[in-house]
Structure formats: structure tokens, C-alpha cells
Amino acid sequence: MVTGKLSLISIGLFDESDLTLKGLEEAKKADRVFIELYTSKWHGNLKNLEKLVGKKVEILSRKDLEEESYKLLEQAKTRNIAIFVQGSALVQTTHLALLQEARKLNIKTRVVHNASIISAISETGLHPQKFGPYVTIPFPEKTKGKLPESVYEVIKMNKARGLHTLCLLDVEDSKCMTAKEGISILLELEDRRKEEVFTRATEVVVFAKAGSENPLIFYSRVEDILKMDLKEIPAVLIIPGILHFTEKEYLSLFKSEYNRKI
Amino acid sequence: MVTGKLSLISIGLFDESDLTLKGLEEAKKADRVFIELYTSKWHGNLKNLEKLVGKKVEILSRKDLEEESYKLLEQAKTRNIAIFVQGSALVQTTHLALLQEARKLNIKTRVVHNASIISAISETGLHPQKFGPYVTIPFPEKTKGKLPESVYEVIKMNKARGLHTLCLLDVEDSKCMTAKEGISILLELEDRRKEEVFTRATEVVVFAKAGSENPLIFYSRVEDILKMDLKEIPAVLIIPGILHFTEKEYLSLFKSEYNRKI
């Protein structure tokens, strides 16, 4: 008899104060509470989160969630298990796979949604309905030095339709790719393909520390960004397509905006 | 001397418990707190929200936020003004315009993000990076009976690239378009265009009451959905593009899922 439950609780973009009341309530009701911290850089404090929930919050490794997820599912058959996940749950396919397995086992499931960078990008003034599919720029180590051609393809196709492209930057064991590292990879791709999709003259938007009190939004040409000291994480890159005049006007606010507190 | 502040606080998808701790804190610090309820259907309770914030929450009309936004901005020059907005702030261009005006007046601004349907759709098992631009299906009254050809164009172009299309359904003064009404408009478009973009045989996903304890996800052919009593709101339609086998497998969970509690 399956009496347990698996809840995936999104913790939002930045720190523990991004948690929703619903998410907090769900965690309080759980018998065991876990958190995964390896898929993004979380700026929160685990001790504070534990205080809010009123119980221990155990850290899950990639291995716990991927290779050994059966252990979590085994527990969820009879107990109420909650897992805090970064950003919006299920945007990562790992979490989706876990949920699917739970459903197959007739375990009750619950998803608590939260902010995601996919919608938070509207803070840049770019209209969300004008974004094409997004991409993730992987660390070169992951692709064994091979350039991520598919990323270039998506940007190129979005551009052809006048659409914006959100480029997520890879995270590996809490190490986040910086905006400048992402740009370098795109420039390498351009050097190879030479289709004028992403050059030093391309204007891009860097959006870092989304959800924090001091988000950074910076709009400039690639060559200018390369000259700057830009280490803020987590960050994303946006390559605008055809700009509506209201988008242009809004983005102009961020042309000289670096280091200005919003 | 501008000493005030304007905060746009997203209240999330469903009810007051979707509010984040950060959003609640921001509202508590405000001198005056407002809420707009006309851009979507909110299932929350205003009295409960007021209890949480500890002060009166005044309802803003479309007129207050659009034609007479200067009144709000005038106040925000010297006072700390917070506005609760539905879903994720700034996805609506009205909110973006307000923020832009505030920045021009040197009013300090703050955005508190929250869940948006744009990322919550990952609960259907469809991979978020495979969505093309989304569309909004307008009420026929709004378009003076003219069919929204641009909606058809976007779905068609997404389909050509194998991408999924999220169709948001119009809201007018808290009246939400149902999934079936949205489908009827798309079928009318098909009747006119006859390009086999959206027919009675097309398989679609209906996702309603996102963020609630009992979200509804239903995957079926258009002709089957038309036979059902499907009034849940707020709802969205998703027209899948080319499905990855993991997406196919996940969606199959929702084939006979109507009325089953998740």
C-alpha cells in the first residue's frame, strides 16, 4: 500500500526568502526534507532555511537524484518526502524523470512552482512573447572540447525569425559559467561558422543576480563587455532579435547601467 | 527630492499562499499596498492577503494602472508604494511601462519575481527549451470579430520548426476564456486558412488551475476535448511540436487523466 508523497518545491531564483508560503507549508508537513544545490548557484543560507522549515534540510548530490533516485522513491512510498529544487522545478529533466517514476509507482506527487529565469527575463524590458527557444551553453569540458553547434543553430534560427534568444550558462557542481566565458564560446563558434550570427559587434544583454536586491542588467556590444570585469553569477546572456521601439527604449536604460543599483 | 519607491510584487499563479517571503516582506514595508486583479483570474482571498500583509490592500482598476498611472507615480515620488500583480510581474507590458516611467522619474524600483505559466508548463512533461514564442488568443469582441491571424502564423511557424506553442487565453475583467472557447477560435482560423495547422485531429494539452493543489492536465485530440465539459480556469492550451520520446511517455500519463487528482 502506497501512502507516501513526493513534493518538489521550487525555491526560486536567489535565496531562501524567495520561497513561497505554499512551498514552506509543504516542507513543514514533510517527514524528510531535502535540497539539491548542484544544478545552479543558490545564494541562500541553509541554516536559515532549516530555521524556516523547522527541521533538518539534507543536501542531495547529483548521484542521489540521478543514479540512486530509487532510494528516494522507496522512502516516498510510505513517507512524505519533500525536495527543494532551484529555480522552477521540472525545468530540469532530472526532476521531471523523478516525478514520472513516482507517478508510475502510484506515489502521490505535488509540484510547487516558483520564479524561473525564463520569465524573470522580462525585467530587461524584452517582451517575453518574442523569445524563441532558449539554449544552454555547456562548459567545454563537458563537450570534450567540441563546440556546441546546436546552440549556434538555435540562435541563428531565432534570429532569422526576428526572435530573441536566452542563453543559459552551464553550472557544474555549483561552479557557474560567467557571461564572458559564455561569450567566448559563442565567438569561437562564430570564428568557425562565419555566418555573422554572433560577432564582436553584436549587442547583447547580460542579466545577472536575477531576483536579488541588486540584479545587474547590462546592454552593450560584445566587444565592450569583453573589456569589463563582469564576474556576477548566476548570469544569463540574451541575444536580442528585432527590437520593438518600446523594447529599444527600455533597454537604453541599461546602456550605462553597470554597477548602478536598480 | 525623490525619496519614494515603487515595488511590483508578483503574487504567483493561484492564491495568496503563492506569495514569496520576499514579496510579503516588501509589502509589509510599503506605505500603501495595491493589487491588480483584472489581467488574470486570481483564486486568492483578499481578506487573507490583507491579514498576511497587516494592512489594507487596495484594488486597482485597468484605468488606475493605464490611463491614470501618473497618480500612482506621483505618490511613489515620496512614498513607498507596492503593487501586487498576478503571475510574474512584467510579463504584462502595462507593468513594464509603469516601471519604465518610474525609473525616468528617478523613483527607486523593485521587482519581486514569482512563478509564471511560461515556466510552469514544464509540469506537463513538455521540455521548456522546445517551446517557440507563445501567443495569446483574444476574445472575438476585442478583435471586432476579426480572426487573430497572427496567432495562426506563430503556431504554423513553430510547427515548421518542430516547436511547441503555448496559447494563453484572454482575460477581460476577470472573465477568462475557457480551453474550449480557445479551441473554437483556432478551428475557425483553420477553416479559413486550410493549412492543416490546427485541425480536429490535432493532439493538444490543456493545462488548467496551474499552481493549485489540483492542477488539471489533459492530453487528447481536439475532437475529444470538444465533447467534454471542460470549464476549469485559468487554463492554457499547448500545441505540441515534434515530441521527444520522453515527452511522449510523460504525456501519456495524462491521456485518461481528466478529473484524476494529481
Side-chain angles (χ1 to χ4, degrees), chain A residues 32-126:
Chain A
R32 272 184 92 174
V33 182
F34 298 95
I35 186 169
E36 68 85 352
L37 294 172
Y38 68 86
T39 60
S40 184
K41 169 73 190 152
W42 188 53
H43 286 263
N45 178 304
L46 194 63
K47 284 271 160 277
N48 290 347
L49 182 63
E50 290 182 328
K51 238 179 263 173
L52 286 168
V53 177
K55 60 189 80 168
K56 191 161 170 50
V57 176
E58 303 167 63
I59 298 177
L60 291 175
S61 67
R62 183 184 294 273
K63 195 176 156 202
D64 293 328
L65 262 173
E66 295 180 9
E67 294 142 58
E68 301 185 350
S69 60
Y70 62 90
K71 290 185 182 171
L72 286 167
L73 291 166
E74 195 50 44
Q75 289 189 54
K77 282 184 187 167
T78 52
R79 305 180 74 188
N80 190 339
I81 302 295
I83 305 177
F84 284 123
V85 295
Q86 297 196 57
S88 182
L90 307 184
V91 168
Q92 306 278 343
T93 43
T94 305
H95 305 142
L96 203 59
L98 186 69
L99 207 68
Q100 187 174 4
E101 286 308 310
R103 293 175 69 116
K104 279 186 194 161
L105 296 168
N106 277 318
I107 294 167
K108 207 179 154 191
T109 60
R110 175 86 198 261
V111 177
V112 180
H113 294 285
N114 208 323
S116 162
I117 189 68
I118 300 174
S119 56
I121 42 167
S122 51
E123 194 169 346
T124 62
L126 291 169

Side-chain angles (χ1 to χ4, degrees), chain A residues 17-22 99-100 103-104 113 115 123 128-129 133-134 158 161 211 249-250 257 262, chain B residues 17-22 99-100 103-104 113-114 123 128-129 133-134 158 161 211 249-250 254 257 262:
Chain A
S17 67
D18 287 313
L19 196 61
T20 66
L21 302 176
K22 192 173 274 176
L99 207 68
Q100 187 174 4
R103 293 175 69 116
K104 279 186 194 161
H113 294 285
E123 194 169 346
Q129 74 276 21
Y134 65 84
N158 284 343
R161 275 176 74 184
E249 204 182 301
Y250 205 88
E257 186 84 357
I262 295 167
Chain B
S17 67
D18 286 313
L19 195 61
T20 66
L21 302 176
K22 194 174 273 175
L99 207 69
Q100 186 173 6
R103 293 175 68 115
K104 279 187 194 159
H113 294 285
N114 209 323
E123 196 170 344
Q129 72 277 19
Y134 64 85
N158 284 343
R161 275 176 75 183
E249 205 182 301
Y250 206 87
F254 304 116
E257 187 84 1
I262 294 169

Side-chain angles (χ1 to χ4, degrees), chain A residues 211-253:
Chain A
S212 74
E213 203 148 349
N214 304 305
L216 162 80
I217 301 174
F218 191 61
Y219 174 50
S220 194
R221 287 154 70 103
V222 164
E223 57 192 357
D224 297 325
I225 290 173
L226 287 175
K227 286 179 207 144
M228 292 167 58
D229 182 36
L230 198 68
K231 295 202 189 79
E232 281 83 354
I233 50 160
V236 297
L237 278 179
I238 303 165
I239 305 165
I242 295 167
L243 293 170
H244 185 258
F245 76 93
T246 56
E247 293 180 304
K248 220 174 254 181
E249 204 182 301
Y250 205 88
L251 274 182
S252 70
L253 291 171

